[in-house]
Amino acid sequence: MDVAAYIQDNKAEFFADLKEWLAIPSISGHPGHTEDVRRSAHWLSEYLRTMGFPTVEVWETRGLPAVFAEWPAADPDAPAVVVYGHHDVQPVEPLDEWETDPFTPVEKGDQLIARGASDDKGQVFFHTLGLRALLAATGATAPPVTIKLLVEGEEESGSVHFAELLREHRDRLACDAVVISDTTMWSADVPSICTGMRGLTEAEVSLYGPDTDLHSGSFGGAVPNPLHALAELLAALHDDDGRVTLPGFYDDVVPITDEERELFARLPFDEDAWLRTAGNSRAAYGEKGYTTLERVWARPTAEVNGMWGGHTGPGGKTIIPREAHAKISFRLVANQEPRKVQEAFRAWVADNTPPGIRAEVKIPGGGVRPCFSPIDSPGVQAARRAMERAFGKPVLFTREGGSGPEADLADILEAPLVFLAVGLDDDRIHAPNEKVEMPLLLKGAEASAYLWEELATALR
Amino acid sequence: MDVAAYIQDNKAEFFADLKEWLAIPSISGHPGHTEDVRRSAHWLSEYLRTMGFPTVEVWETRGLPAVFAEWPAADPDAPAVVVYGHHDVQPVEPLDEWETDPFTPVEKGDQLIARGASDDKGQVFFHTLGLRALLAATGATAPPVTIKLLVEGEEESGSVHFAELLREHRDRLACDAVVISDTTMWSADVPSICTGMRGLTEAEVSLYGPDTDLHSGSFGGAVPNPLHALAELLAALHDDDGRVTLPGFYDDVVPITDEERELFARLPFDEDAWLRTAGNSRAAYGEKGYTTLERVWARPTAEVNGMWGGHTGPGGKTIIPREAHAKISFRLVANQEPRKVQEAFRAWVADNTPPGIRAEVKIPGGGVRPCFSPIDSPGVQAARRAMERAFGKPVLFTREGGSGPEADLADILEAPLVFLAVGLDDDRIHAPNEKVEMPLLLKGAEASAYLWEELATALR
């Protein structure tokens, strides 16, 4: 019996089990559901134990628990792979917009409707079916790579203890690649693989002028105004081509290759529809020489997220304010280092502060490194072959504009990321009536089965 | 007996009367003192009636009352002059910083210490002594010009009903000049006359981008950010020479004359000391080609008073915000028209809004016209002669950077302003331990006496 046939034969049981898991309201962001998140972790660990994982543990954190399960390859020299997903889910408000109860999973045609169906229980669960199919099809008692499943319980509340968890268990999580199943593909018709996520670093700049707000009648026109200085500073952060002006900002950026551009360009992208999803933005705008997808996926940015100073209440107050502030964030792409960008920003602010104004830059934390696995890297090529075998058609490539815990995984475990996901952008994750396309989950299971075979040779 | 001798002979009685008035806590900004403001108006009207004013009236407003008193010239063709001052005072908090009770006037050397001693009861009151001295010295029973004393009761709470009052009584206030006694001179050693005040117009600009805040990971770098657009707009409001870039902004500006520049330059101005009063500003900055005094007195400005948008709370929020706002005010000099500047600003914002951003400009009210009486105008020359006769030395000239009810007086009564004042910048008005220099009040009385003579011929 081959992998695809096994999956078809066992899909009813697979969806029945998944529904049982989905019925547990493991909302990590809601204190009233703490016990449900624990129940969810225990349900999953019981399931994994029953299906044959030799090691299954519930890993406690200072918050909510993760599940760790390991199934070693028969060959001790086989590569090891961490598979990341999460078992907690988003809150369900507004409840009255759900057509069915969020925790009573319902099938409707090809769709399975429940909170967590796509994000992320469904996508975690397809790996169990895939592995069972692979073992059944090959008659083996162990996978061709060591599989270390790590299923977090706090992703929907910011993964606040996740980096700590990774550091604590770094030795046991040692691996040659990290497979991430918590994203989407381009569309049901266009299977695709994500190859990178932008990093992030943030800064807050404060400009100080006089010790107190000054009367603009008595002093206006003769002393520097911190709001003018801030406007000039922020306006100077980009040039006329929409490029960031920090010296050296682009030095470490891996240029987008002709191949990747060409593959991005094959994606059926409707810019007007995209602008509608961008809060009905009226125009695309960004760095000259790049398309919209290239801009959000493969190019770094400087974005002013907030700005304030002086009188902001109702009515007028004719002052020269004592201070002005802005919050700025930089999205980074490989191989930019957050620390280097932070230093460049500090230096640039100091160089661009006019006489009479004192500047202060605060940088909260070390930032998030970008992660990127080039299309021609072994892990991505293995995932491409696995997806093409499952879907029977060419696979395209995407990236993501932001990142969550994935950056910590790449950073702390020092392993390349490989994205395998079958969610869709219209799955209504984080919204009422979340759904998953059941045929895609089965394709995900099939691709998962093939991925272990492909990685076994690709990573050796 | 001449004017100066009469003043010397009667100064004890003058200060005794003034102290009685100062003892009334006529704080207009404090609801608990409403009755005290009324008592103050009645005290003054009784005093003016006793000293001989044929007409004395308390003019009610929708708020607190003003006092009007008229003493017609004997000659029906003589010019008429409105004399403006106010009988309400500032609050006294923080009370524990007063060395003596604010409403128990105390003499200390040459100083009289009490709330209102300089601002403005003392300066209103010197006119009574001046007029008595002039009548005594000339033996006349009426002044050489018709004097219309108008003493407001709401100046310290924004003169909210004053324009209404002026419009209501415009006929009775018809005049050839308005004498203002509510400002300061350069210093005790340097008598000076103010010749103008800057006007004002305000605007609020709002820029709108997407319908909602957008995730800067998903969309950052590919859609316009209203905060970037606002920073660019506000940065473009001034050129590298500190000049305002609104087209036509300077078209109606009366250039500062060589004579006025030369007279300003004679003032003993200490820029470092001035910067200390400017909230310890670290540097002077403004329109190229002008001194600090010229900048605050004789040049128009554009000043950003407040600016806000996006995330302004603690922590980071990596968004492209949906909107950005700024409050802007323009100080105007003769002969700029607020309405014209408002139109120029609206047009400039429309011309400088980038694609994908929608701009909205709100303009609250019609603004305040600048007022200006050239040094060589008849009223200013009359005041100069009166001051020089009183002080026995040359008089210099200043202007003021902002204006209060003076602009309404000039606008509604359509008469030139003439400033006659002997307050000092260090009188601690609006602060604890307000004082007035008693010898200067007597000089004010003397100058007031001469002013009626001088205006009688100058305005004829």
Side-chain angles (χ1 to χ4, degrees), chain A residues 121-143:
Chain A
K121 285 174 176 165
Q123 301 211 64
V124 167
F125 211 56
F126 74 57
H127 285 294
T128 65
L129 180 59
L131 183 53
R132 286 164 57 206
L134 180 63
L135 295 178
T138 58
T141 54

Side-chain angles (χ1 to χ4, degrees), chain A residues 209 211 279-280 282 305 313 319 327, chain B residues 209 211 279-280 282 305 313 319:
Chain A
D211 290 345
N280 294 312
R282 292 167 193 83
N305 308 121
I319 53 166
K327 289 180 197 264
Chain B
D211 289 346
N280 294 311
R282 292 165 192 85
N305 307 121
I319 53 166

Side-chain angles (χ1 to χ4, degrees), chain B residues 1 17 74 113 194 198 202 292 306 340 350 363 365:
Chain B
M1 181 182 288
D17 291 338
I113 297 161
C194 174
R198 292 196 290 190
E202 295 175 77
T292 289
K340 263 180 89 171
I363 293 182

Side-chain angles (χ1 to χ4, degrees), chain A residues 19-336:
Chain A
K19 284 181 201 167
E20 205 178 295
W21 194 22
L22 289 170
I24 303 173
S26 52
I27 304 167
S28 62
H30 194 306
H33 287 280
T34 302
E35 278 315 306
D36 293 320
V37 179
R38 295 187 181 281
R39 271 210 294 143
S40 162
H42 286 283
W43 186 94
L44 178 63
S45 55
E46 271 312 300
Y47 186 90
L48 297 172
R49 205 168 282 132
T50 305
M51 83 169 256
F53 268 86
T55 302
V56 179
E57 296 172 17
V58 172
W59 281 357
E60 288 296 334
T61 68
R62 288 190 294 152
L64 294 166
V67 173
F68 173 76
E70 182 171 355
W71 198 325
D75 177 356
D77 294 332
V81 177
V82 164
V83 181
Y84 169 83
H86 61 91
H87 67 91
D88 63 320
V89 300
Q90 276 279 315
V92 292
E93 289 76 19
L95 238 184
D96 56 0
E97 290 183 22
W98 284 80
E99 286 166 20
T100 55
D101 180 76
F103 298 107
T104 305
V106 169
E107 290 185 29
K108 207 170 174 182
D110 276 344
Q111 300 184 346
L112 175 61
I113 298 160
R115 173 56 88 225
S118 174
D119 179 20
D120 188 37
K121 285 174 176 165
Q123 301 211 64
V124 167
F125 211 56
F126 74 57
H127 285 294
T128 65
L129 180 59
L131 183 53
R132 286 164 57 206
L134 180 63
L135 295 178
T138 58
T141 54
V145 294
T146 293
I147 292 176
K148 300 177 177 186
L149 196 57
L150 179 61
V151 185
E152 190 193 353
E154 292 187 304
E155 202 272 348
E156 300 296 5
S157 37
S159 298
V160 279
H161 305 99
F162 190 61
E164 209 171 280
L165 187 78
L166 290 177
R167 284 195 195 93
E168 188 186 339
H169 297 288
R170 194 190 330 224
D171 292 345
R172 297 190 63 190
L173 293 167
C175 63
D176 301 288
V178 179
V179 171
I180 310 276
S181 294
D182 188 25
T183 56
T184 57
M185 30 180 244
W186 183 263
S187 72
D189 298 332
V190 184
S192 67
I193 292 172
C194 174
T195 62
M197 289 179 152
R198 292 196 291 190
L200 180 69
T201 185
E202 295 175 75
E204 185 171 322
V205 57
S206 297
L207 300 184
Y208 298 97
D211 290 345
T212 53
D213 291 349
L214 296 177
H215 189 282
S216 83
S218 307
F219 299 100
V223 293
N225 178 330
L227 289 177
H228 296 192
L230 186 65
E232 279 169 32
L233 192 74
L234 298 180
L237 195 51
H238 292 88
D239 68 14
D240 289 345
D241 290 336
R243 283 172 67 88
V244 177
T245 56
L246 289 198
F249 186 69
Y250 294 96
D251 286 359
D252 298 329
V253 169
V254 176
I256 183 168
T257 62
D258 288 346
E259 185 198 6
E260 195 171 8
R261 295 193 98 156
E262 198 267 314
L263 287 168
F264 282 174
R266 280 197 219 165
L267 294 164
F269 177 64
D270 177 344
E271 189 157 272
D272 288 337
W274 182 86
L275 285 170
R276 284 193 293 276
T277 70
N280 294 312
S281 285
R282 292 167 193 83
Y285 173 79
E287 189 184 355
K288 206 172 160 178
Y290 294 90
T291 66
T292 289
L293 288 181
E294 289 164 2
R295 286 168 176 164
V296 292
W297 287 346
R299 299 299 297 172
T301 66
E303 205 77 57
V304 182
N305 308 121
M307 186 159 85
W308 70 102
H311 178 60
T312 59
K317 198 170 171 195
T318 51
I319 53 166
I320 300 167
R322 63 187 301 266
E323 56 193 72
H325 308 269
K327 289 180 197 264
I328 297 157
S329 60
F330 297 89
R331 293 283 167 181
L332 307 178
V333 300
N335 291 321
Q336 288 179 301

